[in-house]
Amino acid sequence: MTTLTTALSPELARGIDQTVELLSGRRFAVLTGAGVSTDSGIPDYRGEGAPKRTPMTFQQFLADDGFRKRYWAGSHLGYRRFAAAHPNDGHRALVRLEESGAANGVITQNVDGLHKQAGSRKVVDLHGAMDRVLCLVCGQIFAREAITARIDAANPWLDTDGAVEIAPDGDAIVTDIDAFTVPDCTVCGGHLKPDVVFFGEFVPAEKYREASALVRSADALVIAGSSLAVNSGIRLLEEARRRRLPIVIVNRGQTKGDGRATIKLDGGTTETLVELAKRLG
C-alpha cells in the first residue's frame, strides 16, 4: 500500500474550495494521466525532472527486427518493476468518488492497471494495458505473465534482477540486444506486442467511444495528472468544452488545456484527489 500525507499549500487549498463548490451536485467523469501513478513509483513522461525520451513508434516496431528486439528486451526488464507497483491514495480516492456516485468512472491514459487494482469499477483503458499481449496477425491475446515466462526461458542470460530505469509504459533502456530472442505467436507465428497504443498508432475506435460516452453522460470533467500532450486527451477535453461542461485540471505545471479549464489546480494529484474525495465522496 502506497500512502502519502502532504500539507496543502494555501493556494491549492483555495483552489480545492472552489472546485468543491463547482462540482457539488454534479456527477463528473475523470481522465487520468501518468501523474496519478508517480506516487506509486512509476515515473512521469513530462513532469518536472523527467528525462527526455523518444519512445519507439509503431511503424519502427513493425518494420525492423532490431527494433522489436530492443522493445521486447526493454519491456521485459521494465515490466518486473512496473508490475510490482501498487495503487496509491490518489487511486483509492477515485474509488471512493465512484462508490459515492460523485464520479461516473475513470478514463485513463495509463497502461499500469492500477485503477482496477485499487477497485475502480468503470475504467476505460484508453491506451490499453501492459498485462495483455496481442498477436498483430491473428489477434490472439495472451496473458503477459505467460509471455514473460517464455522470454525468461529463451533468454536466461538477461539480467532481470539488475537495477533498471523504467518509463510510464513499463519500458527500460537496454543496449545489448543482439542475442535477444523475441517471442512470437504460438498460434500463427506472427509478431506480438503488448496490448497498448504505441506512438504513431491510433486509439481503437471502440475505446474512444467508451471514453466519449462517459464524458457525454457527465455533468463535469476532472483531468488529473495529464499534461494533455497526447491527442486523445485533448479530444475528450474539447468534447467537454463543446458541451459547456465545467472542466477541472489537476497537474503540477502547465498543460495544453489550461486555457480551456474552468479551474486549474497546480498541485500533486494524490493530495488533491484525497481532499476532493473527503469533501465530495
Side-chain angles (χ1 to χ4, degrees):
M1 179 180 293
T2 304
T3 303
L4 183 70
T5 302
T6 304
L8 300 175
S9 69
E11 183 179 359
L12 182 56
R14 285 193 296 272
I16 290 175
D17 287 342
Q18 294 169 354
T19 301
V20 170
E21 185 176 352
L22 177 71
L23 295 180
S24 292
R26 290 186 166 102
R27 197 160 186 241
F28 50 88
V30 182
L31 170 66
T32 67
V36 169
S37 293
T38 55
D39 287 331
S40 294
I42 297 175
D44 197 348
Y45 273 122
R46 301 172 182 87
E48 185 177 349
K52 186 175 182 179
R53 295 181 70 248
T54 306
M56 186 178 299
T57 67
F58 184 54
Q59 291 73 23
Q60 288 171 325
F61 182 85
L62 286 179
D64 188 90
D65 184 56
F67 277 110
R68 287 189 291 276
K69 285 186 177 185
R70 149 74 187 90
Y71 178 81
W72 270 110
S75 183
H76 181 65
L77 288 179
Y79 184 70
R80 294 289 191 184
R81 182 179 154 199
F82 190 80
H86 298 288
N88 61 55
D89 284 347
H91 295 106
R92 288 186 283 273
L94 290 174
V95 175
R96 293 196 297 276
L97 286 165
E98 182 184 13
E99 288 175 344
S100 71
N104 67 354
V106 176
I107 306 157
T108 186
Q109 296 172 314
N110 301 336
V111 296
D112 51 38
L114 293 179
H115 287 298
K116 290 178 180 176
Q117 284 187 43
S120 288
R121 293 178 178 274
K122 179 60 178 178
V123 180
V124 180
D125 293 315
L126 200 59
H127 294 167
M130 283 293 288
D131 61 358
R132 300 188 301 267
V133 175
L134 174 71
C135 175
L136 296 175
V137 177
C138 71
Q140 178 69 38
I141 294 176
F142 301 87
R144 180 64 182 259
E145 289 304 322
I147 302 302
T148 295
R150 288 178 55 197
I151 293 175
D152 282 337
N155 302 277
W157 53 271
L158 198 62
D159 182 13
T160 56
D161 295 323
V164 296
E165 291 186 12
I166 65 167
D169 55 6
D171 198 11
I173 297 174
V174 180
T175 54
D176 185 12
I177 60 168
D178 290 342
F180 185 80
T181 299
V182 177
D184 57 13
C185 178
T186 53
V187 176
C188 73
H191 296 319
L192 298 179
K193 89 170 183 62
D195 191 16
V196 298
V197 177
F198 277 37
F199 281 77
E201 193 176 9
F202 292 109
V203 171
E206 65 274 16
K207 279 292 179 188
Y208 188 81
R209 283 195 293 270
E210 269 189 85
S212 178
L214 270 184
V215 174
R216 289 197 309 272
S217 65
D219 304 313
L221 175 64
V222 174
I223 301 170
S226 175
S227 63
L228 295 170
V230 178
N231 186 50
S232 56
I234 286 290
R235 287 176 64 193
L236 291 168
L237 180 149
E238 275 299 297
E239 188 161 336
R241 189 188 65 81
R242 286 194 300 271
R243 294 189 60 233
R244 299 186 178 182
L245 301 183
I247 297 167
V248 177
I249 296 179
V250 184
N251 194 65
R252 290 194 189 278
Q254 292 183 335
T255 82
K256 289 192 173 182
D258 288 356
R260 286 166 273 188
T262 312
I263 297 176
K264 164 63 190 300
L265 300 176
D266 197 329
T269 57
T270 299
E271 58 263 35
T272 304
L273 292 173
V274 166
E275 191 64 22
L276 290 177
K278 284 180 183 176
R279 297 172 63 178
L280 293 170

